[in-house]
Amino acid sequence: MATSNFVPCPGPAERPARMGLPALALLLAARLLHTQASPLARSFQVDYENNCFRKDGAPFRYISGSIHYARVPRPAWRDRLLKMYMSGLSTVQVYVPWNYHETLPGVYDFTGNRDVEAFLDLTAELGLLVILRPGPYICAEWEMGGLPAWLLWKPDINLRTSNPAYLAAVDSWLHILLPKIKPRLYQHGGNIISVQVENEYGSYYACDYGYLRHLLGSFRALLGSEVLLFTTDSTGVEELRCGTLQGLYATVDFGPGSNVTEAFGAQRRVEPKGPLVNSEYYTGWLDYWGEAHASTSAAWVSRGLEDMLQLGASINMYMFHGGTNFAYWSGADYKDQYKPVTTSYDYDAPLSEAGDPTEKLFAIRTVISKFQPLPFGPMPPATPKYHPSLSLQYADLLDVLDVLCPSGPVQSQFPLTFEALKQVHGFVVYHTQLPWDVRDPATLDAPPHSICDRAYVMLQKGTLERDRQTMLHITGRAGDTLDILLENMGRISFGANASDFKVRGEGPEAPEGMVPLSNWLIYPLAIDTAVQQGWPHTALPKSSSGGRVGPAFYTGTFDTPGIAWDTFVKFPGWSKGLLWINGFNLGRYWTRRGPQQTLFVPGSLLHVGHPNNITVLELEGAPPTPVLLFLDRPLYNRTLGCNTTGTE
């Protein structure tokens, strides 16, 4: 078993054996005063002398799990939180994605699935404490790490630094968010015991202590002096040097297979006294398109958990329930090349993407039971699943540009970035004409980092892709149309390359031997707006194409069997695209690349008693008979297992 210099807090003082009536009366009076002043008497603090947390003066350690409300449909919040509570967790850890709420500068959305206050109130109702991580940067494999893409409308902005333009946007956001948080702090009668400032800042290139000091001052000014503020970083020396700051309690993150003593020793180098805390103990891992599905054994995870609990550490399991990157919210990493994250954020977590308890959950629950009593009652069961099938009809994307871009195209000599077009997510069509005959195959070349992230060239039905396929050979006659559909696959969420501009247009200076194409008509597509308004079911045009190759929409309807159950959609023979059901964007599929082969459909999205509309945007090529299947479980085409001896 791992050893440590951790010294547990002493327990409460023993009660005297005898108590006279006057002493009893004084005790009752004191308890009455304590009860009357309980909101003010509540406290959550670090006990540096005894290396632990103290909650209301008593020694305390938390066993927590991460859940992201933005990745879980609101009707399922209670189910997931109840299962976490019944697993023995005292606490949940929650990110607040800035870009999920401030969708445009000064435009805020806290309704429906974005109602973070309702989510926090539900955690309190269910008896769970909260560790809040409001950023402003969160990573989380979320689009641009939670930072709004509209920050990039100022091309010279420096993200996550003391850059004045960036700090002004951060301050404006914190003045909206943190006043909603303050009444829910534990000291004010709420259930939020601690608040993280930034996230893994030591892994960012800037190492800007002025930025961290600015955030510390803002959080203190808006939340008060009593709330426990903390940081989280990996255990590397450089990461802890740049990511920590006096006045912020330093915690670490590491996964199973790490040497627990060495990992907590890293925390002790920057935080010699106080509780041991692993703020992200990895129960699994994320998936990237084109790589194997990550899987971590229950035995490996539970053994590491038990080792840490033996040391008296406080632990948050990341993730306990991962959920789904609906719509365009999945981010990307950059590790030698651009690596977009899959739509599923299952994470091989104890609660599956659909919220079903797994073998890993019960193994973790058994470990927790060795250290504290479990809640009384059964674990809520897995939800029932539904599996019909349906066929679809289609229309080419280029035939419906008037619907998808009702304001008409933007004219430009050279291609404009998504940011210049103020297009946050999704797709843009770039249209021009060949200036002369191209009888011999000519190279259509995209300079490095100019295609961000995937382009569908509709002259010869080819594809350009960031860091992979950057040139095509084309032929044609003068005046032939060259249409390129560019897809934003998600902005980078981790590392130094956070300023992830989509498209870099070639200016007047072209590489030697190359002639830049010019005179572009640019169509920023508002596909989600059209689908939410009932298109294409209200007006499906006839296709001008004779084949099912290239970007096209497919539509159909289906009925539920009298009850709306969760399900998974399978795409047999399809390639890559997006799926909407009843106007809700369920996210990207990419069956040709994998590993994810299905998309999760929450039952709360489905209609009972009247047809459900389904819309597919297939980008590369649908099967001859376009059929979708509904399954009762997810499918992956490749799985990478982490065994008990492996390391991450």
Side-chain angles (χ1 to χ4, degrees), residues 51-229:
N51 297 329
C52 66
F53 291 118
R54 286 192 177 269
K55 179 171 166 282
D56 299 334
F60 178 80
R61 73 109 165 261
Y62 58 75
I63 303 176
S64 171
S66 289
I67 179 174
H68 300 159
Y69 62 91
R71 286 177 161 132
V72 182
R74 181 168 180 167
W77 287 352
R78 180 179 294 273
D79 171 81
R80 309 304 193 260
L81 290 170
L82 181 59
K83 287 171 179 170
M84 295 175 78
Y85 176 81
M86 294 303 296
S87 298
L89 304 185
S90 63
T91 310
V92 293
Q93 190 190 79
V94 181
Y95 275 133
V96 181
W98 177 7
N99 56 5
Y100 195 58
H101 295 285
E102 191 174 0
T103 54
L104 293 170
V107 178
Y108 303 99
D109 189 349
F110 291 97
T111 63
N113 224 90
R114 291 169 164 86
D115 192 343
V116 61
E117 293 175 279
F119 181 83
L120 293 172
D121 291 345
L122 182 57
T123 64
E125 177 189 330
L126 294 174
L128 289 160
L129 299 170
V130 168
I131 301 165
L132 195 71
R133 308 173 86 183
Y137 166 84
I138 63 169
C139 183
E141 292 77 55
W142 187 260
E143 156 78 6
M144 207 164 135
L147 299 178
W150 50 258
L151 291 171
L152 302 180
W153 294 357
K154 297 184 177 180
D156 58 347
I157 196 168
N158 270 329
L159 304 177
R160 302 177 71 191
T161 70
S162 299
N163 175 272
Y166 175 68
L167 287 184
V170 168
D171 288 345
S172 177
W173 162 240
L174 293 180
H175 276 79
I176 296 295
L177 175 65
L178 295 187
K180 299 176 184 294
I181 302 308
K182 187 173 182 178
R184 294 173 170 83
L185 296 176
Y186 189 79
Q187 293 83 353
H188 296 288
N191 64 327
I192 300 174
I193 56 174
S194 59
V195 177
Q196 181 177 299
V197 175
E198 245 278 349
N199 182 59
E200 294 181 326
Y201 189 65
S203 298
Y204 195 58
Y205 77 95
C207 199
D208 185 342
Y209 293 117
Y211 168 55
L212 289 183
R213 282 191 290 269
H214 181 94
L215 290 181
L216 173 57
S218 296
F219 276 64
R220 282 284 174 231
L222 292 167
L223 295 179
S225 60
E226 294 183 339
V227 61
L228 174 62
L229 301 178

Side-chain angles (χ1 to χ4, degrees), residues 511-562:
E512 185 177 354
M514 295 285 186
V515 179
L517 292 169
S518 59
N519 299 320
W520 293 87
L521 294 178
I522 305 172
Y523 297 80
L525 302 186
I527 300 175
D528 289 80
T529 300
V531 173
Q532 289 163 8
Q533 292 173 352
W535 184 91
H537 298 271
T538 55
L540 182 68
K542 291 184 178 181
S543 174
S544 61
S545 167
R548 299 179 186 275
V549 178
F553 288 93
Y554 296 78
T555 65
T557 61
F558 65 96
D559 295 309
T560 59

Side-chain angles (χ1 to χ4, degrees), residues 43 170 186 201 295 330 387-388 440 522 563 571 588 607 623-624 642:
S43 64
V170 168
Y186 189 79
Y201 189 65
S295 176
S330 56
H387 41 96
D440 297 323
I522 305 172
I563 187 169
F571 301 83
R588 304 176 180 97
H607 299 153
C642 295

Side-chain angles (χ1 to χ4, degrees), residues 329-352:
W329 291 114
S330 56
D333 283 348
Y334 199 95
K335 299 176 181 177
D336 299 323
Q337 66 177 14
Y338 176 77
K339 299 175 63 169
V341 175
T342 60
T343 301
S344 172
Y345 201 67
D346 179 87
Y347 214 85
D348 194 32
L351 282 172
S352 74

Side-chain angles (χ1 to χ4, degrees), residues 350-633:
L351 282 172
S352 74
E353 181 180 10
D356 296 336
T358 65
E359 172 197 358
K360 189 177 292 181
L361 180 145
F362 290 105
I364 288 171
R365 194 170 187 258
T366 298
V367 169
I368 293 174
S369 71
K370 298 177 182 180
F371 297 88
Q372 64 186 41
L374 295 174
F376 178 76
M379 174 66 62
T383 57
K385 305 297 187 295
Y386 163 68
H387 41 96
S389 63
L390 76 154
S391 58
L392 305 166
Q393 52 183 325
Y394 83 110
D396 289 323
L397 181 141
L398 293 180
D399 291 338
V400 292
L401 289 180
D402 59 330
V403 175
L404 304 180
C405 185
S407 60
V410 175
Q411 297 186 37
S412 175
Q413 186 72 1
F414 297 102
L416 300 175
T417 66
F418 275 50
E419 290 71 32
L421 296 165
K422 295 183 168 47
Q423 178 83 349
V424 175
H425 304 295
F427 299 86
V428 173
V429 170
Y430 296 83
H431 169 96
T432 190
Q433 294 179 332
L434 294 183
W436 55 75
D437 290 346
V438 183
R439 300 186 184 278
D440 297 323
T443 300
L444 179 65
D445 181 67
H449 310 300
S450 63
I451 294 296
C452 298
D453 302 301
R454 195 168 169 84
Y456 305 91
V457 182
M458 289 174 259
L459 184 63
Q460 253 86 40
K461 308 297 184 187
T463 304
L464 299 171
E465 184 174 356
R466 181 177 186 172
D467 298 332
R468 292 176 181 253
Q469 177 75 32
T470 60
M471 62 177 63
L472 289 173
H473 295 295
I474 63 170
T475 59
R477 301 181 66 85
D480 282 356
T481 59
L482 174 64
D483 291 294
I484 301 174
L485 174 67
L486 194 79
E487 178 184 12
N488 171 2
M489 284 287 295
R491 288 180 177 83
I492 293 169
S493 52
F494 183 79
N497 199 8
S499 298
D500 191 9
F501 292 91
K502 298 304 179 184
V503 181
R504 282 174 171 79
E506 192 64 43
E509 294 294 328
E512 185 177 354
M514 295 285 186
V515 179
L517 292 169
S518 59
N519 299 320
W520 293 87
L521 294 178
I522 305 172
Y523 297 80
L525 302 186
I527 300 175
D528 289 80
T529 300
V531 173
Q532 289 163 8
Q533 292 173 352
W535 184 91
H537 298 271
T538 55
L540 182 68
K542 291 184 178 181
S543 174
S544 61
S545 167
R548 299 179 186 275
V549 178
F553 288 93
Y554 296 78
T555 65
T557 61
F558 65 96
D559 295 309
T560 59
I563 187 169
W565 286 348
D566 294 344
T567 186
F568 294 86
V569 178
K570 184 174 184 289
F571 301 83
W574 299 72
S575 301
K576 184 182 191 302
L578 286 96
L579 173 70
W580 292 259
I581 291 183
N582 296 327
F584 184 87
N585 188 335
L586 288 159
R588 304 176 180 97
Y589 65 89
W590 200 351
T591 54
R592 181 169 290 177
R593 185 162 291 185
Q596 182 179 350
Q597 298 293 300
T598 52
L599 285 180
F600 174 58
V601 182
S604 57
L605 297 178
L606 302 180
H607 299 153
V608 176
H610 60 96
N612 294 273
N613 292 335
I614 190 163
T615 301
V616 182
L617 170 57
E618 168 59 48
L619 296 167
E620 297 181 2
T625 303
V627 173
L628 299 179
L629 302 178
F630 290 77
L631 308 179
D632 60 359
R633 62 189 63 122

